[in-house]
């Protein structure tokens, strides 16, 4: 059996300010830095043999304390990035135009082939994440692997594994530094748990 732990990066400045991040980036807040450090304690008794990570800075920074504690290299990969919102990346959610709000509604509706500008569709995000964890599983079958990635990316991946329609209303949240434990056995992925790692910290 392969164990895979999907981890959302720690809280960032854009999280705090209420901005879309997408493929843009912002530094971890003090809370986010502490969340990254707390991951070391979370995985203290869990053996990890590999650590994969989105190549975006907020994910890499979140992964470093765990990598150092486990004496692992951080293997970065573009396939583990968050969705691209194109020109909305980095923009404040409070300052959206009516037209932008309509585009977001279409993005998260049943029109699964819709993209904002040159950004990504939900199906594309889901497929690249699913393909990547399958590649990781094939390369490291039987091992325990941490994967540092992003909130929406994790949601899309869990929906795929649970066979929930991409456009179905979300019934769960992926908070900063949350850990989602997946296992691969008998040819299929199973969701074992979703656990928060920020309950004693303020996070937006």
């Amino acid at each position: 059996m392969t164990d895979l732990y999907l981890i959302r990066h720690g809280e960032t400045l854009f999280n705090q300010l209420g901005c879309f991040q997408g493929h843009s980036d912002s530094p971890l807040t003090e809370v986010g830095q502490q969340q990254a450090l707390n991951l070391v304690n979370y995985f203290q008794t869990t053996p990890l043999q590999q650590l994969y990570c989105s190549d975006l800075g907020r994910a890499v920074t979140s992964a470093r304390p765990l990598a150092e504690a486990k004496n692992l290299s951080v293997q970065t990969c573009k396939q583990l990035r968050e969705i691209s919102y194109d020109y909305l990346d980095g923009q404040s959610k409070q300052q959206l135009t009516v037209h932008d709000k309509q585009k977001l509604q279409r993005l998260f509706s049943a029109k699964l082939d819709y993209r904002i500008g040159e950004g990504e569709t939900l199906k594309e995000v889901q497929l690249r994440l699913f393909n990547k964890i399958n590649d990781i599983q094939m390369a490291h079958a039987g091992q325990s692997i941490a994967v540092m990635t992003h909130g929406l990316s994790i949601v899309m991946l869990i929906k795929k594994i649970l066979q929930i329609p991409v456009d179905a209303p979300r019934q769960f949240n992926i908070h900063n530094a949350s850990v989602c434990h997946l296992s691969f056995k008998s040819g299929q992925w199973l969701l074992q748990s979703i656990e928060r790692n920020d309950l004693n910290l303020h996070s937006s």
Side-chain angles (χ1 to χ4, degrees):
M1 183 174 73
T2 304
D3 289 295
L4 191 145
Y5 299 89
L6 293 170
I7 311 167
R8 186 185 175 192
H9 61 80
E11 181 191 75
T12 68
L13 179 61
F14 279 180
N15 288 150
Q16 199 175 71
L17 295 176
C19 297
F20 292 100
Q21 292 194 100
H23 285 190
S24 65
D25 220 345
S26 67
L28 297 187
T29 62
E30 289 186 12
V31 167
Q33 293 172 23
Q34 186 60 53
Q35 289 170 338
L37 291 173
N38 286 354
L39 288 169
V40 175
N41 291 329
Y42 183 93
F43 285 99
Q44 188 172 11
T45 60
T46 303
L48 294 174
Q49 286 83 47
Q50 308 291 333
L51 201 167
Y52 282 80
C53 183
S54 159
D55 66 340
L56 295 174
R58 60 189 183 273
V60 175
T61 302
S62 298
R64 281 176 182 154
L66 182 59
E68 291 174 3
K70 295 294 188 180
N71 195 29
L72 297 172
S73 61
V74 178
Q75 303 178 65
T76 57
C77 177
K78 287 184 177 180
Q79 283 176 278
L80 296 173
R81 283 187 176 192
E82 183 60 291
I83 188 173
S84 169
Y85 296 100
D86 192 50
Y87 72 92
L88 290 182
D89 286 353
Q91 298 300 309
S92 170
K93 296 176 183 178
Q94 299 299 319
Q95 298 178 356
L96 293 174
T97 66
V98 172
H99 191 45
D100 289 337
K101 290 179 180 178
Q102 291 172 343
K103 289 182 178 181
L104 284 165
Q105 287 175 349
R106 289 185 66 188
L107 179 67
F108 291 103
S109 73
K111 298 178 181 178
L112 301 183
D113 59 346
Y114 181 77
R115 71 184 74 243
I116 297 175
E118 296 183 4
E120 294 177 283
T121 70
L122 292 182
K123 273 192 172 180
E124 287 172 338
V125 174
Q126 188 179 71
L127 184 60
R128 67 173 165 81
L129 265 291
F130 190 64
N131 287 344
K132 184 58 185 179
I133 68 164
N134 283 330
D135 288 345
I136 291 172
Q137 195 285 135
M138 290 179 66
H140 308 291
Q143 296 187 7
S144 294
I145 307 148
V147 175
M148 184 71 67
T149 181
H150 305 270
L152 183 63
S153 295
I154 294 173
V155 169
M156 290 297 102
L157 190 49
I158 290 176
K159 283 187 171 184
K160 172 73 171 177
I161 290 166
L162 297 181
Q163 299 182 27
I164 299 172
V166 176
D167 59 314
R170 188 189 303 187
Q171 301 297 323
F172 55 90
N173 287 318
I174 304 298
H175 299 271
N176 289 111
S178 289
V179 180
C180 301
H181 179 195
L182 306 179
S183 63
F184 188 85
K185 187 177 182 180
S186 301
Q188 65 178 351
W189 288 102
L190 300 172
L191 175 63
Q192 300 290 355
S193 64
I194 300 176
E195 297 189 70
R196 294 183 65 170
N197 188 40
D198 64 344
L199 294 178
N200 297 319
L201 297 167
H202 168 71
S203 179
S204 61

